[in-house]
Amino acid sequence: MKLNNWNRWLIRLVLTLVATGSMAWSKAQTVVDVHSHIITSGYRAMLRAHGAEMEEGFPLPQWEVERQLAFMDKAGIKTAVLTMSAPQPYSDKAGEAAACIRKVNEEAAAVKAAHPGRFLFCAALPLPDVASAIREVAYAMDTLHADGIKLATNSRGQYLGDPALEPLMAELNRREAVVILHPHKPSPYSDALMEGVPLAMQEYLSETTRAVANMIVHDVMGRYPDIKFIVPHCGAYLPIAIPRMKSLAGVMQASGLIGEIDWEKSLSCLYYDLSGSHSAEAVHALLSITSPDHILYGSDYPYVATDALVKGLQRMRQYLSGSTFLARYEQMFLHANAERLFRLSPGASPAPVPADSMLIRLSEIEIYPEYMEEYLKFAAMVGRESMKCEPGVISIFPMQEKEDSCQIRIVEIYRDQEAYKKHIASEHFQHYKQSTLKMVKSLKLVDMHALDAETMPLIFNK
């Protein structure tokens, strides 16, 4: 068949559109969704048996793995993290709730195994029974290979931050667990109020804020810094609450109502998902209390209609890419941060921090010989604590000259000037500084700039 120019042009156009669409789909199919729910038939049956299906004030949506995969493919989501929904199964009959939760965790593990690369899961725990919860942590993480743990903001009135939960927190800290938080019906709560103002409309945000605030004032994160907590729904009211808490903390402490709070360590353990009413304004609010590497995408599937979620993700891409400031963080929010947090890709890292925003410094230090051994311990401590607890610290790398052991060099790289200010105000740096004053014979701080502004951030990005 002989093709005229029109036909040739049309074929080229179709082939171009197909190729472009294929590449666009491939590029888009990278999103990691850290907030989705598995609702199994067994879980639903137990709630029904105890008259608890409407305990949260709204009916449970239908869930099937095939439907979620269809949504993920349509939205461009590569991997979703499954967690058990609310309400938390509970029964006065010994072992009944634990058996139901065990079954949900096993079914979530089976979904993950049946669809490699598409699902992760964070296991639920049979709280408020702390001993059973610790046993379930061991089974879920060691046998089922759970990717983390899901905790309700409260379990029958046992709020996160409760002293009874200390053994559980110690175990989660030992395992360096990722812990996804989710609001549940507060205790107590007015049923009459819930009829007019559903929990999900407002109280879930208050409940999340209440639980995290309780953990902060009980210094849970400060004492268990290796737990990574994911706070849902754009951080709830925390962008407003945390500055207020800081302003009132001194008065509360002076009155003996609360103890000391390590704010930087507490906040460095918190990550935030963008499920719910995300917007550029919500992202900017979060960035007032956290750093870009702690923000993650979440859908809240299947509680939100599929079409609304797809359009919401498209809108998110638009407001992120359309902002000169936020565009650099788009890939971090959509997948890179979650890949790093859940260790999906060993080499994965967030989008590079622009080199021109970094503070880069070489500290040239000479130590008196008689203090050398003691100083090296302090130098190692401040480097270790800074890298572990401060998101804005990209590098604290102390070194000792081979030929002259009294000569110390420290490569310091901070995300920006604000990160540096937070670092020098931190408790661990102040402890280092005051403890080593008498040990330092000379100190010279040499500020640097990157000769290769493109490659350097790729090397030194956390």
Side-chain angles (χ1 to χ4, degrees):
M1 181 178 67
K2 186 175 181 180
L3 299 176
N4 57 32
N5 290 336
W6 167 255
N7 287 334
R8 291 191 183 94
W9 178 86
L10 184 60
I11 291 172
R12 284 199 301 271
L13 176 62
V14 171
L15 291 174
T16 300
L17 289 174
V18 170
T20 303
S22 176
M23 288 187 292
W25 183 91
S26 176
K27 181 180 180 181
Q29 202 77 2
T30 57
V31 178
V32 178
D33 175 6
V34 303
H35 189 143
S36 72
H37 299 289
I38 180 171
I39 303 174
T40 67
S41 58
Y43 165 75
R44 191 187 297 272
M46 179 172 175
L47 295 180
R48 186 183 305 116
H50 290 272
E53 281 187 292
M54 290 292 293
E55 191 172 271
E56 300 290 316
F58 48 86
L60 293 172
Q62 294 297 318
W63 178 87
E64 294 176 357
V65 66
E66 293 78 11
R67 289 185 180 184
Q68 183 162 359
L69 285 168
F71 154 66
M72 292 165 63
D73 290 341
K74 185 176 182 180
I77 296 172
K78 178 182 179 182
T79 304
V81 182
L82 298 171
T83 59
M84 190 182 73
S85 183
Q88 181 96 344
Y90 180 76
S91 171
D92 291 329
K93 185 177 179 181
E96 186 177 11
C100 176
I101 290 171
R102 167 69 59 87
K103 183 65 173 176
V104 172
N105 290 338
E106 289 176 338
E107 292 188 52
V111 170
K112 174 185 173 181
H115 304 278
R118 302 309 306 273
F119 292 102
L120 306 178
F121 80 100
C122 287
L125 303 181
L127 291 168
D129 185 339
V130 176
S132 292
I134 293 174
R135 288 194 294 271
E136 190 63 24
V137 168
Y139 178 75
M141 303 196 79
D142 297 338
T143 301
L144 300 181
H145 305 296
D147 302 283
I149 297 297
K150 177 255 181 173
L151 289 179
T153 47
N154 88 90
S155 300
R156 306 294 153 180
Q158 182 193 66
Y159 272 87
L160 299 179
D162 191 309
L165 294 171
E166 289 293 299
L168 174 61
M169 293 300 163
E171 177 63 11
L172 295 176
N173 189 72
R174 184 184 72 81
R175 292 175 176 272
E176 301 182 358
V178 175
V179 173
I180 291 181
L181 306 182
H182 197 278
H184 284 230
K185 180 181 178 180
S187 179
Y189 188 77
S190 168
D191 291 332
L193 180 62
M194 189 166 66
E195 291 177 3
V197 185
L199 289 172
M201 183 179 291
Q202 188 283 126
E203 184 55 42
Y204 268 5
L205 302 179
S206 298
E207 174 72 0
T208 299
T209 305
R210 182 181 301 117
V212 175
N214 197 47
M215 288 197 293
I216 290 174
V217 298
H218 286 91
D219 200 29
V220 171
M221 282 76 77
R223 291 180 293 109
Y224 303 112
D226 291 330
I227 305 175
K228 281 77 69 176
F229 293 97
I230 301 179
V231 182
H233 305 134
C234 302
Y237 297 142
L238 288 171
I240 301 172
I242 284 175
R244 181 172 175 82
M245 289 176 66
K246 286 183 174 181
S247 69
L248 294 174
V251 176
M252 302 287 283
Q253 288 162 348
S255 302
L257 297 175
I258 61 174
E260 291 297 320
I261 299 172
D262 189 333
W263 290 100
E264 293 308 316
K265 188 170 288 188
S266 292
L267 296 180
S268 72
C269 296
L270 299 180
Y271 292 74
Y272 304 85
D273 79 46
L274 294 175
S275 62
S277 302
H278 60 80
S279 63
E281 291 76 16
V283 173
H284 281 290
L286 281 176
L287 289 173
S288 70
I289 60 171
T290 193
S291 53
D293 54 342
H294 280 223
I295 298 177
L296 316 160
Y297 170 74
S299 70
D300 215 349
Y301 182 89
Y303 282 89
V304 182
T306 296
D307 288 344
L309 290 176
V310 172
K311 291 177 181 178
L313 188 51
Q314 292 171 346
R315 179 169 53 84
M316 181 183 293
R317 290 184 181 277
Q318 290 172 356
Y319 70 67
L320 291 177
S321 62
S323 165
T324 303
F325 174 71
L326 295 178
R328 72 188 77 177
Y329 304 129
E330 180 178 354
Q331 299 308 311
M332 294 173 68
F333 296 169
L334 292 180
H335 66 89
N337 291 341
E339 288 170 347
R340 176 172 49 83
L341 184 62
F342 286 98
R343 301 176 182 175
L344 297 180
S345 302
S349 60
V353 179
D356 56 6
S357 73
M358 293 180 179
L359 188 157
I360 308 169
R361 173 170 292 166
L362 181 64
S363 295
E364 300 179 351
I365 307 170
E366 183 175 2
I367 304 299
Y368 289 109
E370 60 268 29
Y371 292 117
M372 179 54 60
E373 184 176 350
E374 188 178 0
Y375 174 81
L376 292 178
K377 293 179 181 178
F378 279 107
M381 177 278 297
V382 75
R384 182 171 55 250
E385 290 298 311
S386 299
M387 294 298 293
K388 179 190 295 185
C389 303
E390 298 183 63
V393 175
I394 295 173
S395 171
I396 297 286
F397 197 89
M399 299 169 287
Q400 184 179 33
E401 283 191 12
K402 289 184 176 180
E403 293 185 0
D404 184 352
S405 61
C406 291
Q407 298 296 327
I408 304 297
R409 301 293 182 263
I410 304 177
V411 177
E412 303 178 43
I413 305 178
Y414 305 92
R415 190 174 298 278
D416 48 31
Q417 287 284 346
E418 186 62 29
Y420 173 69
K421 291 178 182 177
K422 290 182 178 180
H423 169 69
I424 60 176
S426 67
E427 182 180 349
H428 48 265
F429 176 79
Q430 287 298 320
H431 178 57
Y432 159 81
K433 187 71 175 177
Q434 297 305 317
S435 301
T436 60
L437 280 175
K438 65 180 180 180
M439 307 176 189
V440 176
K441 183 177 182 180
S442 66
L443 168 65
K444 183 179 180 182
L445 303 177
V446 183
D447 286 344
M448 314 290 286
H449 69 86
L451 296 181
D452 185 349
E454 293 185 4
T455 302
M456 205 279 291
L458 296 174
I459 299 172
F460 291 101
N461 200 63
K462 291 178 74 173

